Amino acid sequence: MSSAISAPIAYGYLRVGTDGTGEQVRRLEDGIRAYAEHRGLALRGIYRETGSGLRLDRMASTVQGAGATHVILPSLEQITNHLAIQAAVIALLHVVGARLHLLDRAREVGHG
């Protein structure tokens, strides 16, 4: 019987606007992958939110469906500039039991 401990599951999350280039998206995704690897997290996937508006219900169901306990974002500003919505994202991830990691700050946010 193996006593190996599996790596915590992480999920990346990006907002992809119509003004973003493929190269910009690739750089953000590469940053998420490198961060997960450096932190010893098993990156299950990267969700790309497109269109107008932020779908917090989709974010929650994607994170829960993947069994992720960590979510990696390039920055809160990358998904929204609205402070109230940024606070809602932090609260939502706390409710679903996921720790938030921000690449622009290279740290975890809002989860004890």
Side-chain angles (χ1 to χ4, degrees):
M1 181 182 227
S2 174
S3 61
I5 298 173
S6 58
I9 296 172
Y11 216 87
Y13 190 88
L14 294 175
R15 292 252 332 135
V16 180
T18 56
D19 58 344
T21 67
E23 182 59 32
Q24 289 170 321
V25 171
R26 275 190 296 280
R27 274 197 315 268
L28 291 171
E29 290 178 344
D30 288 348
I32 288 172
R33 286 185 190 94
Y35 182 92
E37 184 177 336
H38 178 74
R39 294 285 183 142
L41 301 171
L43 187 63
R44 182 69 50 93
I46 298 175
Y47 181 79
R48 292 168 205 87
E49 181 82 55
T50 58
S52 62
L54 180 63
R55 296 287 309 266
L56 294 180
D57 59 328
R58 257 192 232 152
M59 178 186 279
S61 64
T62 299
V63 169
Q64 288 178 314
T69 54
H70 298 264
V71 172
I72 305 167
L73 302 176
S75 70
L76 285 169
E77 294 78 13
Q78 197 271 334
I79 60 170
T80 183
N81 287 320
H82 299 283
L83 295 178
I85 299 173
Q86 291 176 4
V89 168
I90 293 169
L92 170 77
L93 294 176
H94 181 77
V95 167
V96 300
R99 293 180 181 208
L100 174 60
H101 299 260
L102 301 173
L103 296 182
D104 68 334
R105 298 178 189 152
R107 63 180 177 92
E108 292 179 39
V109 176
H111 198 300

